[in-house]
Each structure stands twice: as structure tokens, then as C-alpha cells.
Amino acid sequence: MTRIPTKQEVLDWISANPTLTSKRDIAKAFGIKGADRIDLKRILKELEADGHLEKRNRSYRDPDRLPPVSVLQVKAPNVDGDLFARPLEWHGEGVEPIVLLVTRASDPALGEGDRILARLTVVHEEDHNYEARLIRRIGTNPRKIVGIFRKGAEGGRIVPIDKAGQTEWLVADGAVLGAKDGELVEAEQAGPKNRMGLPRARIVERLGDPTAPKAVSLIAIHQHGIPDDFPDKVIEEADKAKPVGLKGREDLRDMPLLTIDPADARDHDDACYAHADDDPKNPGGHVIWVAIADVAAYVKPSTALDREARKRGNSSYFPDRVVPMLPDRLSGDLCSLHEGVPRACIAVRMQIDAEGNKIGHRFVRGLMRSAASLNYTEVQEAIDGNPNDRTGPLLDTVLNPLYAAYAALKKARSVRQPLELDLPERKIVLSDTGEVTSVAFRDRLDAHKLIEEFMILANVAAAETLITKRRPLLFRVHEEPAPEKLESLRETAQAAGLNLAKGQVLQTRHLNALLNAAAGNEDAELINLTTLRSMAQAYYNPENFGHFGLALRNYAHFTSPIRRYADLIVHRALISAHGWGKDGLTEDEIARLEETATHISDTERRSMMAERDTTDRYLAAYLSERVGNEFSGRISGIARFGAFVKMDETGADGLVPVRSLGREFFHFDREAGTLMGSDTGLIIAIGQRVTVRLTEATPVTGGLELELLSIDDQALPRGRGPAKRGTRRKAASTKRKKDKIKRKVERKRRQR
């Protein structure tokens, strides 16, 4: 007879194997077969009745799990010298998880009783369930420094790369971490802040060559003045925050809300759930729930946390790092909707009819518990017939109803006709050392589009509610294209044999008709790019001017308060409008709405510029190994000094200098956006297919210089004029060097 495990053994197994928690998995683990499964079923039911487990979608799990970012208290070292820690935010009634601290050479010494913020990873080891990496010690906030290390007799100094940073930092010999002279390093302050003389620092990471890829994003962060170091008071407030309970909230913990994010996402601020509407007045309709992290419960108006979040305006995203709007304690822990962890939220219940039209909605302030944290790819694979052990149990009850609601929303979208640009998103893939391993284009899955449509609907609901309740808010505004840009698009379309009608009020459906007419032919990319460039930039404003691109009259950002300050303003407005508490929008904030809107619109543009510069530098570093290679591409821009080419393989933009365009003068026509050769009559215009040779790649600036070889498969004519001045100067310089060498050889011959 098979030995039936004890309740404690079952709990230990589930805790150590959180992804293998179906009854079949548990039976297989303990070798239970046949009639003995009845006894296992009895044990599981008793554990469920006692509150130690909960059954969800045919699997058993601890009612709560530790979030990926947690507060821990360090225990005394064991006999082997290993450090374990006690989780201070364990909500479960089962066995407390065992956490092993995995320290790095650069970590400060930790002692018994220290409270730390750490990033956790689930493991399946005999003596522990989680491994933790230190983020920082609670109550400490050492200043970060990025600069060039200059070696000295004992230790050395760090020279900041930040333009505003004039102070150098002393590094003791034991805090160098093996850094070499001239290396870019990341360091943190060591010792008291008010000591006499130069401040002291400890190097925590060597970033190597300042021109190397790993340094790129750090340099962009500092050059654009993006704050990446939280003040002590901000960290202190974040550390004091405690998880919000159920009091005054609607209990949504039994609702199977899911988060669906990129596979590498660290924070999860939105979750969703849908089901068929059982209202007989709405046949074929659906109910959609969207729950958003209740950041306003932790970031109160006029606090240090609030002032810093407003100052940053938004999080900034780079290929190798994120500069968050909020400290890790909030962005990665208390405000992140982690799987199996109770989290405060503001949720909206929306009713749509069979055609995808929203027919009603209501907001609640609740407490939820995510049923699963999934990524886009695994969700799409499950819908396409290839579920895994995480998505399989959720397929019929949760995922299929989500896609059914999305199918209805697509019908409404096709009627509304928002702008449908076909411009693939580029993704830079980095190695562990920061080298670019590949440049790919992200797939646009239905899973992405589903979440996008749900979030748009929730944003509309937020705007409509606040308009109805006559509450101030920040709208997301996108105005229609300026007349001159629209005329430029019209001319480009005509040159491609297409038509954008005049004499009517422009709507997105007119632009979509143009894009659809271009689809599938060689001018499709050109038309998409030109349409994008004709668009005005979206911004925030207390006045509602509508959202042209989405073809929506009322639109506000509500769904990402962890990473956008505008969404936090909308959350506070909803709290005030519903009378949910004292943490709503204050009179002072209302008086400053216009100023806030301008500021956060500026910080958004700042982040976009830094992210673009970083991408350019990464691409230049990636292509620096391929100088001399030929690439296909398309003319993407024209200027007096040359033509810009977007290369097909990577999407990188390079410059063909006008000085390199053959033996003739080129006339620049600003209105037509062309360069024309004075001898050959060659016209270079946006959209032409070209072949180019990469002649120079400069990672420090992100610049790429190209030589034009052919246009529309025709070799480039050279013209009849003399060589360009630059070419003459180069030839004269070469002749002078040769003459100098010749004279030197002649002198040596005479001396002999």
C-alpha cells in the first residue's frame, strides 16, 4: 500500500513547486495511484477547509505568495555561514516560506535583525523556497554615482559624467572592485554625507569602456537630466508603507483577474477578467473588469513621494534598465498586482453589447488577488491550441471569455476606425554583458491587441465618469494634423499614385483608406511613415480637445499609475468623485493642473528623446562591426546637408552626406522635400528604394554615415563636374603626406 503523505508534506510540496499544483501533479510526486487517490483528495479538501490551501481552476496553491519584491528581516547565519531571512509580509496561514539570501561581492555586510528590500526568485531546493538578491537595506539610501574611474596610488577617484556633477569622489583601495583606469563605473556613497574634504564612494559595478554598449543608457540618463536617484525622504516614506487591507473596499479576491504583460515585466499595474453578460436585456453581450493598482492609496498629495513622482512625470524605459517613477518598494512590491498576493486596486466593471459598444460602467475601490501573472506569448499560444501548465487550467474559464469579449470590441473598433498604422516595433536584444546580440521586430499578437482594447475602454470610462460628475482631470489630447503637414502627406500620396481627398473634414477613416490602398505594395512603408510624421504629438491638458488618433471624444490615462503621473491624477479625481477617502484630488492640485499638464508632457518628451538616443547608440555599436557592408533601405528624410536612409535589416537611420553624392551640385527643395543634381537631374526623394554602404559608425554619438550606391536599382550617376571640395581636400592632404614621406626618405639616404 502506498504511504499517504501528511498534510505538512503536501503543504511543503506545493510551496516548493508552485507551478505543479494540480491533484495529478501532487499524486505523481508522492507516487499515489488507484484507490489511494481518494485519501489524497480527502487531505486536500481538509487543507482547503482549514484555509491552508485554495482550489483554483483544478489546482491547489497557498492562498498567498510572496511578491517578487519583498521586505525581509535577516536571521543569524547558520552553521554553514548561510544567511536566511524571514518575510515580513507573509499573509498566508500555511507554512512560512524559507528565503535564502544570495549575496554579491559588492553588497554591504548584513547582520541579524537588518531589514532589507530584496528581489525574490522561486526555487525548488530542499531547504528553501525562495532566493533573494539585495536591493538595499531598509532605512538607508546611499547616493548613486556614475562616472569615470581614475586610478591613484591608493584607490582612486570617480569623475562624474553628469554635466551638473562637479564633485569628484574618493574611492578607497578596498572599494575599487578591480576597476581599471578610464573605466566607466557605477558607485554609491560610502560613509557620512557631511565629512570634510571630497566625499567617499564604493564601486558597485564596473561598466567597462565608456563607449561600450553597457554604458549607453546610463550616459543618456545623465545627459538628458532624468532623475535616477531617489532622495532619502522619498525612500523613507516608501519604506514605511504597509499593505492596504479590505476596510472600505469591495472584496474582489475571488474574481480570477489576470495580469498579461511582456515576459520580462517586473511590475504589473493592470489586470482583467471577462465573462458573458447574464443580463437578458443584453443578449450576446459581455462584462469586462479592468483592475488597476491603487497607487493613490500609497502616494498621498503633497508628500515627498508625490513631489518626486511629479518631478519625474513618468518612468523611462531602456533596453537594459528602467528608471522608475516610484521607488522599488512601491513599483515592484505594494503597487504591483503580483500573482496570489492581495493588492489594493481601483477597478471598473464595463458592460458591452454584442457589437462591442459600451452600454454601462461603474467604478469600485477594491482588494484583488491576481489568479495568474501571464505573458503575451503564452496566452496567445494557449488560444492557438498550445497551452502550458499555467494557461491550460485557465483556458476555458478565463482566457476564452477574454478573447470572446475582445472579438466584440473589434467590431466596435472597425466602426470607429482609429488610425491603423502598420509600423513594426523594434526590439534590441542584449547579452548579459550589454552587447547587442540582435535587432528584431516585435510580433503584434492578438494578446497585445486585447489588452490594448481593454485599457482604451477603461480610459474612456474614467474620462466619461469624471465629465459626468463635473470633476477636474487631465485629458490625453491628440489634435488633428496641421494643414501644412497634411498637404505634405497628400503630395507624397499623389507621387505614389494614391489619393487623399481634399475639401472635407479630415477623419481617421480617410487616412485608413489611404493606408489600406498602399498596403502590400512597395510604397506601404513610405505612406505609413509619412502619415506618422504628419501627426501632432499627444499631450496632457485640463481641457478636452479629443483624441484624433483613437477617434475618441473623451479620453484620459487611467491604467498605468505606477509609471505615469497623469494616471495618478485621474485616480485621485475618481476617489474625490466617489467619496472614497481623503486621498483624492486636492484644491491645490486642481489649481496647478495646467502647470502639471505642461510639466509631465515635457518629461514624457524628455524620456522619449533619451530612449531614442540610447537606441541610436546601441545600433551604432551593433553595426560598428559591419563597416564596409552593403545594406538595402529606403530614403526616410531629406535635408540640405544630405539624405537619411532607414535600413531594412535593423530599422536604423543613417545619413548620406550631400558631399558624397557624386561630382555635381545638389539643389535642396524644402517644399518638395527633394535633392536634385545640377548636371544629371537626378532626384533624391523620400520613399525611394536604395542600396548603401556603411562607411562609419560612431557609438558615442549614435551616428551612422552611409555611401549611396544605387537608387531604385539604378547605379548612381556621377555628374560631369570636378571632385567635391571635401574630396579635393582629402586628395591634397594625401599628396602632402606622400611628399613628406618622400622627403624624409631622401634625407636619410643622403645622411648615409
Side-chain angles (χ1 to χ4, degrees):
M1 180 179 176
T2 305
R3 187 182 76 82
I4 302 299
T6 65
K7 292 181 181 180
Q8 187 59 56
E9 287 172 334
V10 171
L11 287 173
D12 289 345
W13 162 259
I14 291 173
S15 181
N17 300 273
T19 62
L20 301 172
T21 53
S22 69
K23 187 168 69 176
R24 180 183 299 175
D25 292 328
I26 299 168
K28 185 177 179 181
F30 291 101
I32 300 172
K33 300 178 181 178
D36 292 333
R37 288 175 178 266
I38 297 173
D39 290 325
L40 175 63
K41 184 177 181 180
R42 173 183 53 78
I43 290 173
L44 293 173
K45 281 189 172 295
E46 289 175 2
L47 287 171
E48 187 180 359
D50 293 340
H52 295 302
L53 291 180
E54 63 178 353
K55 187 176 183 182
R56 200 183 299 164
N57 301 307
R58 299 193 295 276
S59 67
Y60 292 86
R61 64 184 76 191
D62 288 333
D64 303 289
R65 292 177 58 188
L66 291 177
V69 174
S70 285
V71 176
L72 310 174
Q73 186 168 40
V74 179
K75 298 180 180 180
N78 65 10
V79 292
D80 297 322
D82 292 329
L83 275 181
F84 288 87
R86 183 170 69 85
L88 296 183
E89 293 181 72
W90 171 242
H91 300 286
E93 297 179 3
V95 179
E96 184 178 273
I98 300 172
V99 183
L100 173 68
L101 277 176
V102 181
T103 58
R104 295 160 289 200
S106 59
D107 288 345
L110 296 173
E112 183 180 4
D114 282 345
R115 292 171 68 240
I116 64 170
L117 190 66
R119 191 170 299 283
L120 304 185
T121 304
V122 176
V123 296
H124 305 140
E125 302 295 337
E126 291 184 5
D127 60 346
H128 59 282
N129 318 103
Y130 292 86
E131 289 183 353
R133 295 271 186 178
L134 176 71
I135 295 174
R136 59 178 172 79
R137 188 188 284 122
I138 294 290
T140 64
N141 181 35
R143 181 177 172 185
K144 293 180 181 178
I145 309 108
V146 176
I148 306 296
F149 177 65
R150 294 301 178 192
K151 198 166 182 63
E154 293 184 5
R157 297 187 180 202
I158 296 174
V159 181
I161 60 168
D162 187 355
K163 293 177 182 178
Q166 301 297 322
T167 304
E168 294 186 358
W169 296 73
L170 286 177
V171 183
D173 195 36
V176 169
L177 201 67
K180 298 178 181 178
D181 187 66
E183 275 191 324
L184 187 73
V185 296
E186 188 170 11
E188 64 182 24
Q189 181 172 326
K193 294 187 177 183
N194 298 322
R195 69 166 62 243
M196 298 293 289
L198 291 178
R200 295 183 176 272
R202 173 178 60 249
I203 294 175
V204 296
E205 187 173 2
R206 295 169 57 190
L207 303 173
D209 181 356
T211 64
K214 198 170 184 180
V216 167
S217 58
L218 281 172
I219 291 172
I221 288 164
H222 283 264
Q223 283 184 336
H224 287 275
I226 295 174
D228 66 336
D229 194 18
F230 286 104
D232 290 349
K233 184 66 176 175
V234 174
I235 295 296
E236 183 182 338
E237 283 187 6
D239 287 348
K240 287 180 179 177
K242 303 294 182 186
V244 172
L246 184 60
K247 185 178 179 181
R249 295 175 176 272
E250 189 165 323
D251 193 347
L252 306 177
R253 287 176 293 179
D254 291 334
M255 186 181 295
L257 288 152
L258 299 177
T259 62
I260 305 176
D261 295 287
D264 56 355
R266 287 187 171 183
D267 55 66
H268 312 276
D269 52 10
D270 57 82
C272 57
Y273 169 61
H275 61 83
D277 194 355
D278 56 8
D279 185 348
K281 296 180 181 178
N282 187 28
H286 304 267
V287 172
I288 299 172
W289 281 87
V290 170
I292 307 298
D294 189 354
V295 175
Y298 299 98
V299 182
K300 307 292 178 64
S302 301
T303 59
L305 269 168
D306 180 48
R307 288 191 293 270
E308 183 66 17
R310 184 181 183 276
K311 174 184 172 183
R312 295 177 179 228
N314 50 267
S315 298
S316 299
Y317 293 84
F318 301 92
D320 64 334
R321 69 189 66 233
V322 176
V323 180
M325 186 179 79
L326 300 172
D328 254 320
R329 171 67 170 143
L330 299 182
S331 62
D333 184 8
L334 295 178
C335 297
S336 194
L337 308 179
H338 296 303
E339 179 179 336
V341 182
R343 285 291 178 252
C345 67
I346 293 179
V348 56
R349 179 189 186 273
M350 299 172 287
Q351 268 184 299
I352 61 171
D353 63 21
E355 300 303 310
N357 302 300
K358 182 168 66 65
I359 58 175
H361 70 267
R362 67 179 176 90
F363 282 88
V364 300
R365 204 173 195 184
L367 188 71
M368 61 160 287
R369 181 166 50 204
S370 171
S373 293
L374 305 178
N375 65 64
Y376 290 114
T377 302
E378 65 181 335
V379 168
Q380 192 61 54
E381 287 178 349
I383 293 296
D384 293 342
N386 187 28
N388 59 22
D389 61 339
R390 290 163 51 77
T391 56
L394 301 167
L395 186 57
D396 293 335
T397 55
V398 183
L399 296 181
N400 281 333
L402 283 174
Y403 274 74
Y406 168 58
L409 289 178
K410 282 198 296 185
K411 296 177 185 177
R413 182 185 177 93
S414 67
V415 173
R416 191 177 88 242
Q417 286 215 36
L419 188 60
E420 300 281 5
L421 289 170
D422 182 18
L423 292 169
E425 185 182 354
R426 188 169 48 194
K427 180 181 181 181
I428 293 176
V429 182
L430 303 178
S431 67
D432 292 339
T433 59
E435 299 287 333
V436 181
T437 58
S438 65
V439 179
F441 292 94
R442 298 178 191 268
D443 291 330
R444 277 278 291 167
L445 306 172
D446 276 349
H448 292 97
K449 298 173 185 177
L450 178 152
I451 294 300
E452 184 179 284
E453 286 301 308
F454 281 19
M455 298 306 117
I456 289 172
L457 196 66
N459 287 336
V460 169
E464 289 179 351
T465 292
L466 293 172
I467 290 170
T468 300
K469 292 181 177 289
R470 300 181 181 277
R471 295 286 176 163
L473 73 148
L474 288 182
F475 292 95
R476 182 61 168 178
V477 172
H478 184 227
E479 298 184 77
E480 64 182 43
E484 61 272 15
K485 290 192 174 183
L486 201 57
E487 189 58 36
S488 177
L489 172 60
R490 190 172 282 112
E491 289 173 359
T492 302
Q494 288 172 348
L498 301 169
N499 184 50
L500 179 62
K502 272 188 172 184
Q504 57 186 342
V505 176
L506 182 72
Q507 296 180 2
T508 47
R509 61 186 177 86
H510 301 134
L511 296 173
N512 286 338
L514 172 64
L515 294 169
N516 290 332
N521 66 40
E522 60 180 14
D523 295 310
E525 185 180 359
L526 167 64
I527 297 300
N528 275 271
L529 278 171
T530 311
T531 302
L532 176 65
R533 287 173 178 165
S534 71
M535 292 296 107
Q537 188 163 6
Y539 62 97
Y540 296 103
N541 200 297
E543 291 188 63
N544 185 14
F545 300 118
H547 198 294
F548 175 80
L550 291 175
L552 291 169
R553 181 176 299 174
N554 305 310
Y555 195 69
H557 275 165
F558 157 74
T559 54
S560 295
I562 290 178
R563 61 184 180 91
R564 292 188 307 226
Y565 193 76
D567 302 54
L568 179 56
I569 291 289
V570 170
H571 276 230
R572 288 174 179 164
L574 288 168
I575 291 167
S576 297
H578 290 89
W580 286 332
K582 298 180 180 179
D583 47 356
L585 204 60
T586 65
E587 290 301 320
D588 181 58
E589 286 182 291
I590 293 170
R592 292 198 305 160
L593 273 183
E594 190 169 344
E595 179 189 330
T596 298
T598 300
H599 171 70
I600 62 178
S601 296
D602 289 342
T603 62
E604 180 183 47
R605 283 190 284 273
R606 177 181 67 184
S607 293
M608 289 172 61
M609 289 171 62
E611 291 162 15
R612 184 190 62 202
D613 287 354
T614 300
T615 298
D616 288 346
R617 288 187 173 109
Y618 272 121
L619 287 171
Y622 177 61
L623 291 169
S624 62
E625 304 278 329
R626 300 171 67 182
V627 171
N629 288 14
E630 294 182 10
F631 298 88
S632 62
R634 188 183 289 275
I635 301 291
S636 59
I638 298 291
R640 185 179 299 279
F641 50 83
F644 291 96
V645 174
K646 183 175 287 292
M647 294 185 282
D648 295 333
E649 182 183 333
T650 60
D653 286 298
L655 173 67
V656 178
V658 72
R659 57 179 161 75
S660 70
L661 291 172
R663 297 171 177 266
E664 62 180 319
F665 179 79
F666 274 82
H667 297 278
F668 172 56
D669 186 332
R670 184 183 300 277
E671 290 187 8
T674 61
L675 289 168
M676 185 175 74
S678 57
D679 294 338
T680 63
L682 173 69
I683 292 178
I684 300 174
I686 292 174
Q688 291 174 313
R689 296 294 307 174
V690 296
T691 303
V692 294
R693 180 183 291 115
L694 180 62
T695 58
E696 188 177 331
T698 313
V700 173
T701 63
L704 298 173
E705 191 167 307
L706 309 171
E707 178 188 356
L708 189 59
L709 302 179
S710 70
I711 298 179
D712 293 331
D713 297 324
Q714 299 295 315
L716 193 67
R718 303 303 296 176
R720 300 188 303 273
K724 297 287 182 72
R725 284 180 295 174
T727 307
R728 289 200 300 269
R729 282 198 300 269
K730 186 174 180 180
S733 174
T734 303
K735 185 176 185 302
R736 284 195 299 271
K737 288 180 181 178
K738 287 181 178 179
D739 289 345
K740 186 176 180 181
I741 293 169
K742 187 176 179 180
R743 288 194 299 270
K744 188 174 181 181
V745 171
E746 183 63 23
R747 281 198 303 270
K748 286 187 176 181
R749 186 183 65 79
R750 289 174 180 173
Q751 288 171 358
R752 288 198 297 267

